[in-house]
Amino acid sequence: MRAIENLFQSPVVVAASSLSLADDGLFPEERAHVENAVAKRRAEFGTARMLARKALAELGAAPVPLVPGPDRAPVWPQGYTGSMSHCADFCAVAVARSREVRSLGLDVEDLRQLDPSLLELVLTPTERRWLQAQPEDVRPMLPITLFSAKEAYYKCQYPITRGFLDFQDVELAIDPGAGTFEARVVRAGWSDAVARLGGRFVVADGRVHCGVELPQAGA
């Protein structure tokens, strides 16, 4: 979990665990949301809610249902913001008080080679040229890091803009040695508040973890 804590500089609480069925711990509204889902999906959904309530409790929040909105994005209690992510058998949640952090984006991915057929979909031409210039021994695992960084950025910007972006709309400048990146929207007319955001990534325990935060002004 320390890998995730290191992703954020703002006052953020994180919780993480392996996936498990948690149907009995869900509110009725939450159970109704996944009652027809397969066991794996229920485990993803339930584990995320258990972890989110645990993290929110550390900030003083009372336990409440966390049912996604019509756009499938998490709806956080008034006064809080957060982000959820899961991969094959792991789930992580990051939450913060909205008076300190305006928005968060967290993504976790199993460390793996991205299918070559996806490279042109995920990476911009500039990113593909950058990839080819990297040392051959690290090159195979960099695309999944770029993928995860874009996912984390997207999750952070979405509550601000409610706008959808394709992978090609976001271009990254990444520093593998420092574990940092900057995401820049190359589509014209995007909100200045999130058009360029910095983030961090950590590779640990067979996963890549990426985080992006938008602190409140003056926080």
Side-chain angles (χ1 to χ4, degrees), residues 154-201:
Y154 180 84
K155 291 178 181 180
C156 186
Q157 70 83 35
Y158 183 77
I160 308 302
T161 67
R162 296 293 166 181
F164 296 96
L165 291 166
D166 292 327
F167 285 109
Q168 295 294 315
D169 293 329
V170 179
E171 193 157 84
L172 299 176
I174 188 167
D175 184 340
T180 60
F181 61 88
E182 183 181 72
R184 178 175 64 91
V185 177
V186 295
R187 182 197 292 185
W190 211 249
S191 169
D192 288 343
V194 293
R196 190 185 295 264
L197 292 178
R200 295 169 177 257
F201 71 93

Side-chain angles (χ1 to χ4, degrees), residues 195-209:
R196 190 185 295 264
L197 292 178
R200 295 169 177 257
F201 71 93
V202 176
V203 177
D205 304 318
R207 292 181 294 271
V208 57
H209 315 75

Side-chain angles (χ1 to χ4, degrees), residues 23-107:
D23 294 354
D24 292 344
L26 297 180
F27 283 84
E29 305 96 310
E30 295 170 330
R31 286 198 298 273
H33 189 79
V34 290
E35 62 182 351
N36 296 320
V38 299
K40 185 176 188 302
R41 172 58 185 147
R42 297 203 321 274
E44 293 168 348
F45 183 92
T47 302
R49 269 68 199 169
M50 296 298 100
L51 292 173
R53 278 193 274 277
K54 177 183 177 182
L56 286 165
E58 291 191 34
L59 295 175
V64 296
L66 300 170
V67 181
D71 56 2
R72 300 176 61 188
V75 177
W76 298 96
Q78 184 71 27
Y80 300 91
T81 188
S83 186
M84 305 174 176
S85 187
H86 54 76
C87 48
D89 190 38
F90 181 77
C91 183
V93 175
V95 299
R97 294 183 179 89
S98 53
R99 69 171 181 261
E100 297 169 324
V101 180
R102 191 174 176 190
S103 187
L104 288 172
L106 172 67
D107 189 71

Side-chain angles (χ1 to χ4, degrees), residues 87-158:
C87 48
D89 190 38
F90 181 77
C91 183
V93 175
V95 299
R97 294 183 179 89
S98 53
R99 69 171 181 261
E100 297 169 324
V101 180
R102 191 174 176 190
S103 187
L104 288 172
L106 172 67
D107 189 71
V108 295
E109 301 287 339
D110 292 311
L111 195 59
R112 65 191 187 278
Q113 292 191 45
L114 201 63
D115 191 307
S117 66
L118 295 177
L119 292 183
E120 289 193 9
L121 173 67
V122 173
L123 306 186
T124 67
T126 298
E127 291 166 343
R128 293 199 297 274
R129 288 192 295 271
W130 172 84
L131 180 65
Q132 290 305 311
Q134 301 312 299
E136 190 172 350
D137 60 330
V138 301
R139 198 182 304 158
M141 295 303 175
L142 288 173
I144 191 65
T145 302
L146 291 161
F147 174 92
S148 183
K150 290 191 180 189
E151 288 286 310
Y153 165 76
Y154 180 84
K155 291 178 181 180
C156 186
Q157 70 83 35
Y158 183 77

